[in-house]
Amino acid sequence: MTAAGPSRRARRNEILKELGLTPLWHVRASGEDSAAQVDSSEHVVSHPAGAAEERRSKILRMGWDELKTSVEGCVACPLCQSRSRTVFGVGDKNADWLCVGEGPGAEEDAKGEPFVGPSGKLLDNMLAAINLRRGRDVYITNIVKCRPPGNRNPSPDEAGQCSPYLERQIQLIKPKLIIALGKVATQNLLHTDAAIASLRGRLHDHSGIPVIVTYHPAYLLRTLVDKAKVWEDLCFARSIMQGLGPSG
């Protein structure tokens, strides 16, 4: 075992202790009875009754630095076991615009930044079409901060464990408008199973913040014909933002 291994575990344990998430989940060794358990700080944290709400409450009191550190050490769901890096978010922390996708892909997992590679370039082009650019008056993040294996959609439990982090990001940014990119982001922000097609072109709400729904850039790379629909959505978003007036 390298020297970095124990150090990383110690850091995770310290973060978990501060969040009130200990004791850690235990894995019973094969062939042993339930009394014989193996402590494994590299595994997922159990959530006894009341612990989930306590964890959420603590996360919702964090500032930016503490929140990012907490995400980096999070072991609240199985996604922590296969990630290379957490993907916290990128952009203007006082942005009027917030873009929310579903989760990191392989390139995002390697670089630690959301929306890189072909889908990231397309998102940057989408933003440029409404006079925005990455890092200026827009913040970009995802529903989950760790890559789901095989780029599958995050499960409801995985999204649920990550939701306090996104909730706190939204509270800190105070965006005037949220753009939900794709089905997973839309379902989690709006708590609906409705199809994107039925939700486009209308204004929705998340915690008092207007939400506009559109297709995910990765979907557009596979379905070029729907790019025109996204342009319509972006024009709609721009008109809504103009109606909201200047920042206070």
Side-chain angles (χ1 to χ4, degrees), residues 121-139:
K121 290 179 182 178
L122 180 53
L123 177 61
D124 289 345
N125 290 338
M126 290 164 57
L127 294 174
I130 52 174
N131 299 318
L132 295 174
R133 70 166 182 252
R134 188 180 295 241
R136 187 189 70 184
D137 205 30
V138 61
Y139 195 89

Side-chain angles (χ1 to χ4, degrees), residues 25 40 67 79 115 118 184 190 207:
W25 180 61
S40 175
L67 189 67
L79 295 183
F115 286 93
V184 172
L190 302 183
S207 300

Side-chain angles (χ1 to χ4, degrees), residues 102-120:
E102 57 185 54
E107 293 186 73
E108 290 81 5
D109 178 67
K111 295 183 179 180
E113 182 174 336
F115 286 93
V116 296
S119 66

